Amino acid sequence: MAREGLEVQCHGLTHESLLRGPRESQQAFGMRMEREMGVSKRQLERFTGKSITAFAFPFGWHQAEHLPLLRKLGYAAAFTVNPGVNGPSQDPLLLKRQSVFRLESPRTLAAKLLAMPASSADVQPPELSMASGHGIRLTARGAFPCEAMWLDFQRVPHALAPDGTCLSGPIDLEPGFHTVAIQSQLHGGQGMTS
């Protein structure tokens, strides 16, 4: 596959968790990380004849201690499973991505592909877990006029303010972590798919 042009990158040697165990010494942890990130990289490079520059954390689980070793080993990028959009300031060793699951519905997949998650600074109320659960109204602002609003990958009714802000109707919301996204439309009619 590599010979035919498919890009092969690293996902660890054994696909075990790379988190440090509660009884794992610093030395044992370092040796295990070298094996998982380093030995696997060198084996793939030898096998494919190509440079390995990207790493995907098994299960997306990562710790700050991984980053210096990734840099030392020559990785240019590493992928988590943290959802969101990667902007210019995103650390390339902690790239976000959207997970697509086996039972994903067409509607939730479309929301993930077409929606641009709003930053927490642009969503009101900013701390949904502290808000009352009934009649919450969300507002979200993007760089371009809002076309649709999504809450937990479900489209919600919204109104468009003159400044392009999306305003939802009242929503009954359980306290906890929620994802708010907006779908924007670029001038000229092309969709934004960040």
Side-chain angles (χ1 to χ4, degrees):
M1 290 189 294
R3 206 170 28 246
E4 293 300 317
L6 182 69
E7 188 170 324
V8 176
Q9 297 296 334
C10 194
H11 194 40
L13 191 64
T14 65
H15 200 269
E16 66 182 35
S17 167
L18 301 186
L19 301 181
R20 183 175 175 187
R23 295 191 176 135
E24 189 173 22
S25 72
Q26 184 64 41
Q27 182 180 7
F29 177 68
M31 289 171 53
R32 186 165 66 87
M33 292 306 97
E34 164 57 32
R35 189 173 60 251
E36 290 293 327
M37 297 176 187
V39 171
S40 58
K41 180 182 192 293
R42 291 187 291 275
Q43 285 181 352
L44 281 172
E45 287 175 336
R46 191 168 47 252
F47 187 74
T48 64
K50 300 188 183 285
S51 180
I52 302 297
T53 59
F55 186 83
F57 294 103
F59 315 105
W61 300 342
H62 57 281
Q63 293 174 289
E65 294 93 330
H66 296 138
L67 304 187
L69 180 59
L70 288 169
R71 286 186 184 94
K72 179 182 171 188
L73 291 169
Y75 286 105
F79 297 91
T80 71
V81 292
N82 299 342
V85 173
N86 295 300
S89 63
Q90 183 66 42
D91 186 333
L93 295 179
L94 293 172
L95 293 173
K96 300 172 185 175
R97 58 186 172 157
Q98 293 290 359
S99 296
V100 178
F101 301 102
R102 182 170 54 92
L103 299 177
E104 197 82 55
S105 74
R107 186 170 66 176
T108 59
L109 179 59
K112 289 179 178 182
L113 294 175
L114 297 175
M116 178 180 67
S119 79
S120 58
D122 291 337
V123 176
Q124 298 296 327
E127 181 53 72
L128 297 180
S129 63
M130 301 298 290
S132 167
H134 301 291
I136 293 174
R137 293 181 186 272
L138 301 173
T139 64
R141 293 175 191 83
F144 298 94
C146 172
E147 291 289 316
M149 177 181 272
W150 306 81
L151 175 66
D152 298 332
F153 303 110
Q154 302 291 320
R155 194 170 183 151
V156 295
H158 78 287
L160 183 61
D163 66 355
T165 300
C166 280
L167 307 168
S168 80
I171 300 170
D172 290 340
L173 193 63
E174 295 294 324
F177 178 80
H178 299 277
T179 300
V180 176
I182 56 172
Q183 178 181 339
S184 297
Q185 193 76 13
L186 294 172
H187 298 293
Q190 295 181 342
M192 173 180 284
T193 57
S194 297

